[in-house]
Amino acid sequence: MSGVGKIARVRCGANIALAKYWGKANGALNLPAVPSISLTLAELYTETTVEFDSRLEQDELLLDSAPVQGRARERMIQMLDRARDEARVSDRCRITTRNNFPTASGLASSASGFAALAGAVAYAAGLDHSLNTTSSWARRASASAARSVFAGFAELPTSTTDDDNLCARPIEPGRTWAEVRLIVAMVGKAPKSIGSTEAMERSRLNSPYYRAWLETAPRLCDEVREGLAARDLAQVGDAMERSTLAMHACALTASPSVRYWQPETLELIDAVQALRAESVGAWFTTDAGPHVKVLCLAADAHRVQDRLKASVPSADILVCSPGPGLTVLP
Ligand code: DP6
């Protein structure tokens, strides 16, 4: 069949993990070795347009106006082929995708990007996918993307079987914790030196602390989930910091070592700890990049923002709030 001709436009927020995913239980199916919990953000997002077109000879993939190449291109084509198979469509596809924040620098662009793609591709191919199916397609491309499909807080569990339908689930859907803020302090805009896929694989293969990580991460995820249910930001923040420190300890002790932190990262972490010493509720997390994200309540956001800026004047600071997840645009 050809000539589907439907255009889909979607927007999807990036998510930042409070309890980190790091390491795979099954590389081929991209199943995570540990459960994770994240917050989808309103202010950082990807917009993606997908159009099947019978006149195209090959798929055209543009990210921020440049052709997509390498690993990201392979993952996108795999998703497209899966949609073509399921919809019995042979047409090639034009995909235009844009991030309103720096790509591949540790700000979860693959999460919002693949979640947006999973939604838009299925819609353009005429597939009637549920959010769970969209989340599982996104997870196959990039596990953190499974969580971005959902608004607010979401959890991606692990699977005891090799379950290719594994998807994220929203935490307490309909009961939003609107006062929570995640303040993103951006340290430079350069792409990360080593991608998270390769870094977590290196950690799994040869960090002496990987086993300890596998034991610790589910407990920290429980603490985050329980803290969210109790609206106890100190519990969430404390478990979140321990999760990021354990993840980075595992990456740092891989061989060759993976170090995402820059001097500015540590300055910002110091600023957060100083705020806490002054009884301001603020907790840090960092991902596969040098940026620091700080969890706090809206009432403290200005004070936290000012302190981060004072500690690293070159950092761009953005106050982010819980966002809506995957949204179809007109
Ligand atoms: C540090 O989802 O990018 O952001 O599944 O290999 O694509 P792949 O990895 P990816 O890893 C994200 C790692 C993290 C933590 C997190 O988001 O949970």
Side-chain angles (χ1 to χ4, degrees):
M1 188 179 123
S2 83
V4 174
K6 231 189 197 174
I7 299 187
R9 263 189 84 214
V10 304
R11 176 183 288 182
C12 193
N15 75 72
I16 300 298
L18 313 184
K20 303 295 180 197
Y21 145 59
W22 195 252
K24 298 177 199 295
N26 177 325
L29 296 180
N30 205 31
L31 297 172
V34 296
S36 55
I37 291 180
S38 62
L39 176 62
T40 299
L41 304 178
E43 289 78 5
L44 303 180
Y45 55 80
T46 300
E47 281 182 359
T48 297
T49 305
V50 171
E51 181 182 14
F52 286 92
D53 186 337
S54 55
R55 293 162 302 180
L56 289 175
E57 288 188 356
Q58 54 178 348
D59 294 315
E60 266 180 30
L61 315 179
L62 291 179
L63 168 60
D64 293 334
S65 309
V68 184
Q69 277 154 353
R71 193 76 206 273
R73 184 179 169 87
E74 272 169 40
R75 291 184 190 192
M76 288 171 80
I77 303 264
Q78 270 167 14
M79 196 185 282
L80 278 174
D81 286 341
R82 197 175 175 187
R84 278 189 280 255
D85 268 7
E86 194 173 310
R88 298 179 189 283
V89 171
S90 53
D91 291 349
R92 301 295 103 182
C93 213
R94 185 176 298 108
I95 297 181
T96 325
T97 185
R98 188 183 70 82
N99 294 323
N100 77 337
F101 60 95
T103 298
S105 76
L107 283 173
S109 56
S110 75
S112 52
F114 282 111
L117 190 69
V121 162
Y123 189 75
L127 297 169
D128 190 16
H129 280 178
S130 64
L131 282 182
N132 284 354
T133 303
T134 306
S135 170
S136 110
W137 279 42
R139 189 264 308 141
R140 175 86 90 87
S142 186
S144 57
R147 303 179 310 232
S148 265
V149 169
F150 298 104
F153 297 100
E155 175 164 3
L156 178 63
T158 46
S159 163
T160 43
T161 56
D162 281 344
D163 176 12
D164 198 18
N165 295 321
L166 184 77
C167 60
R169 54 181 175 236
I171 293 182
E172 300 189 0
R175 183 174 174 244
T176 48
W177 193 359
E179 297 79 19
V180 165
R181 294 292 175 272
L182 208 52
I183 302 188
V184 178
M186 278 176 255
V187 176
K189 296 194 166 74
K192 54 191 144 195
S193 49
I194 167 169
S196 31
T197 307
E198 190 184 339
M200 69 174 74
E201 187 59 1
R202 197 184 287 174
S203 308
R204 183 181 75 82
L205 290 174
N206 64 32
S207 166
Y209 296 152
Y210 187 69
R211 194 171 284 275
W213 163 250
L214 293 184
E215 279 168 24
T216 313
R219 270 205 311 277
L220 293 175
C221 195
D222 289 345
E223 285 181 36
V224 168
R225 191 188 319 98
E226 287 158 17
L228 290 174
R231 296 290 189 258
D232 182 342
L233 201 68
Q235 176 171 338
V236 175
D238 183 63
M240 180 183 87
E241 284 193 354
R242 283 184 289 133
S243 175
T244 204
L245 290 169
M247 177 204 121
H248 285 279
C250 197
L252 280 163
T253 49
S255 176
S257 175
V258 176
R259 179 176 59 84
Y260 288 113
W261 291 353
Q262 296 291 327
E264 293 90 337
T265 313
L266 298 177
E267 297 283 344
L268 291 162
I269 289 175
D270 279 351
V272 172
Q273 286 173 337
L275 278 165
R276 266 214 314 279
E278 296 163 23
S279 301
V280 179
W283 293 266
F284 66 87
T285 188
T286 73
D287 292 284
H291 319 296
V292 177
K293 296 100 183 185
V294 182
L295 185 73
C296 65
L297 290 174
D300 293 322
H302 282 306
R303 183 155 172 201
V304 173
Q305 183 178 18
D306 290 349
R307 182 65 66 90
L308 295 175
K309 190 72 188 166
S311 84
V312 178
S314 61
D316 285 331
I317 319 275
L318 184 67
V319 178
C320 295
S321 37
L326 187 66
T327 315
V328 178
L329 298 174

